[in-house]
Amino acid sequence: MRPVNGFKRALAEGRQQIGIWNTVGGQVVAEALATAGYDWILLDTEHSQTDVPDLLGMLQAVAPYPVEAVVRPAANDTVLIKRILDFGALTLLIPYVQTADEAKAAVAAIRYAPRGVRGVSYLTRATRYGTVPDYAARAEEELCLIVQAETVATLERIGEIAAVDGVNAIFIGPADLAASMGLPGQAGHPEVKAMVERAIHAIRAAGKPAGILTGDPVFAQRCIELGTTFTAVGIDLSLMLDGARARRAMF
């Protein structure tokens, strides 16, 4: 059976997808989060101890549950992307894409020749170990590419980036955006929030789904009202620490 990307379909239909960030490596936390009822879970290899080899087991752990896995590579790197796709990831969130050319490079990395540069292997989890005979010809139909806008300069190029064929959605990174505004560590600053709101409008105006991660429930709801259609509302480690600190405060 050919893999189907429910997350990509939901974005195309404009259905809100609520997500959670997985930074704690290993299969147990990923699988436990998969039971929590979220629409998507981000398996992060950029700002976590999770490395590419760890992803195979994590993707397998999440697969039985009604949640879509999104993987963030450590960089917009052809080799990293190739390996993650071979493990069966259907949706990638590419960090720090600042120009249309960088977006085009990410698109090329997920496409086979002659449309791209992805290396070909038929004995991978992505091909169900060779049991999907038309995988190479049709893989692109189910793959979803999200690029991450993380700087003021990038937001000024939203139209150019959104126009790149193969970019399915654009995700706003508030933390790095704050740093680029001269406000490092202040993602909740009013000026940063105002810039995020403008970015959501720009992405929507460019005809692409907009996404964001924020641990602020009030601002998350505000972003949804403005038009984000894939909204991550928490990070595993942060939620654990919040719970642990709150419980300690009780005693």
Side-chain angles (χ1 to χ4, degrees), residues 86-127:
D86 281 352
F87 286 166
L90 294 177
T91 302
L92 299 184
L93 173 60
I94 308 299
Y96 215 72
V97 173
Q98 297 196 86
T99 67
D101 284 342
E102 290 176 0
K104 290 175 182 176
V107 172
I110 73 167
R111 289 175 169 174
Y112 291 118
R115 289 167 55 81
V117 296
R118 179 183 174 187
V120 179
S121 175
Y122 294 114
L123 292 176
T124 63
R125 183 171 180 268
T127 70

